[in-house]
Amino acid sequence: MTRVAAIDCGTNSVRLLIADIEADTLTDVERRMEIVRLGQGVDKTGRLAPEALERTFGAMRGYAKLIDQHGASAVRVVATSATRDAANRQDFVDGVREIFGVEPEVITGAEEAELSFTGATRDLVRLSPETGLPTPDGTRPPYLVVDIGGGSTEFVLGSTHVEAALSVDIGCVRLTERHLRDAGAPPPAEVLEAVVADIDEALDRVAQEVAVERALTLVGLAGSVTTVAGIALDLPGYDPDKIHHSRIAVNQVREVSERLLAMTHDERAAIPVMHPGRVDVIGAGALILDRIMERFGFTDVVVSEHDILDGIAWSVSKP
């Protein structure tokens, strides 16, 4: 058994997984998430804001204490879209090295896709019909894994390994800052049309570079997708066990997306499964999922609580 620590620093959140890995089994010891909005303003300025860096480092200092307490033998810190885009990313690298004693890896979109695919599908591959273990009804490869982040969305196609992948610059934070800056009221029709145009332009690239039509199962990852699932399931509070491997129909995704975009900030904040840090960006995230399903003809999405964070942990456990 190996105890490892994985840190995923994205555009909107920084997350920690401390896990015990033995053979083909990953067991959570600690799983934490804090909304730090590292990507605040990056789309406009091209730089990480000092206050965003300090929020991120504050969360990471708490994570470093947990890692010490639990005695993880290896640590990997991965940073994604916002840090890739930032001119001052060395400030981030220096701060992380000081906190964890390891160099953070500012990974490419292709590397992000590989880790997301591993984290999302390892359970589905292991829980195959040949093992006699249950899988979500009708789940069959090839999978299209879609990781909707704050700054980018990754599309990964494969069965047991990545066959094609693409990262496009549409994410819930990026689109909110670009179009939906007034989070207090529902956006007018022309603003929504601009958001949809941005999403659809990115999906045109996906259609050209990834053979989406081969996928038999859509697997959705990250906070926008899991929050939409929690709303569709009408949960009284966020429950990862109920959300993991749930199947949400396309009409449910459309209904939730339309509801969220028609709500005020306070109405979204009152939804029982809503994390406070997602209130102002969830509308854009839900709309991205809605457009993906509409464009590529998926009737439902299998929602996974396992994602790039789990993929990072698996990667650390390799000899």
Side-chain angles (χ1 to χ4, degrees), residues 71-115:
S73 61
V75 180
R76 186 179 184 190
V77 183
V78 162
T80 53
S81 177
T83 318
R84 278 199 302 267
D85 298 341
N88 62 332
R89 71 181 190 176
Q90 191 60 43
D91 295 341
F92 171 82
V93 170
D94 293 344
V96 172
R97 189 192 304 113
E98 180 182 346
I99 293 167
F100 293 112
V102 299
E103 192 84 5
E105 301 170 54
V106 182
I107 61 173
T108 65
E111 291 170 316
E112 186 174 353
E114 182 78 43
L115 291 169

Side-chain angles (χ1 to χ4, degrees), residues 1-13:
M1 185 185 72
T2 305
R3 177 163 290 181
V4 302
I7 296 97
D8 166 38
C9 191
T11 302
N12 197 42
S13 64

Side-chain angles (χ1 to χ4, degrees), residues 25-252:
T25 303
L26 182 151
T27 304
D28 288 11
V29 176
E30 289 273 1
R31 193 180 286 260
R32 300 288 184 92
M33 186 272 287
E34 290 193 38
I35 302 286
V36 295
R37 199 62 59 83
L38 177 63
Q40 171 194 331
V42 167
D43 189 54
K44 182 177 180 180
T45 68
R47 299 180 64 83
L48 298 168
E51 61 271 27
L53 282 167
E54 188 46 49
R55 288 194 300 268
T56 303
F57 293 154
M60 287 180 167
R61 291 183 191 105
Y63 290 170
K65 291 178 182 178
L66 286 171
I67 291 168
D68 288 342
Q69 289 170 13
H70 288 293
S73 61
V75 180
R76 186 179 184 190
V77 183
V78 162
T80 53
S81 177
T83 318
R84 278 199 302 267
D85 298 341
N88 62 332
R89 71 181 190 176
Q90 191 60 43
D91 295 341
F92 171 82
V93 170
D94 293 344
V96 172
R97 189 192 304 113
E98 180 182 346
I99 293 167
F100 293 112
V102 299
E103 192 84 5
E105 301 170 54
V106 182
I107 61 173
T108 65
E111 291 170 316
E112 186 174 353
E114 182 78 43
L115 291 169
S116 293
F117 184 84
T118 299
T121 65
R122 189 140 182 165
D123 276 355
L124 295 175
V125 171
R126 183 173 64 85
L127 301 176
S128 65
E130 289 76 16
T131 67
L133 297 173
T135 60
D137 291 343
T139 300
R140 293 185 297 153
Y143 308 107
L144 180 68
V145 174
V146 173
D147 186 343
I148 301 174
S152 64
T153 296
E154 280 63 55
F155 293 79
V156 194
L157 177 71
S159 294
T160 59
H161 63 279
V162 174
E163 299 169 18
L166 183 67
S167 178
V168 291
D169 283 341
I170 51 170
C172 59
V173 175
R174 193 184 296 271
L175 291 181
T176 298
E177 290 188 348
R178 191 177 292 172
H179 299 289
L180 303 171
R181 290 178 293 274
D182 182 8
E190 62 270 19
V191 171
L192 280 180
E193 289 172 4
V195 181
V196 169
D198 264 10
I199 297 170
D200 288 352
E201 182 179 358
L203 297 185
D204 287 342
R205 285 189 56 209
V206 175
Q208 291 169 4
E209 299 189 36
V210 179
V212 174
E213 67 280 359
R214 290 188 51 236
L216 298 179
T217 302
L218 176 65
V219 182
L221 315 184
S224 290
V225 178
T226 58
T227 300
V228 168
I231 296 169
L233 294 169
D234 198 24
L235 298 179
Y238 195 91
D239 187 337
D241 291 335
K242 286 188 170 61
I243 290 171
H244 186 51
H245 286 177
S246 61
R247 295 181 73 97
I248 308 302
V250 63
N251 62 309
Q252 293 176 287

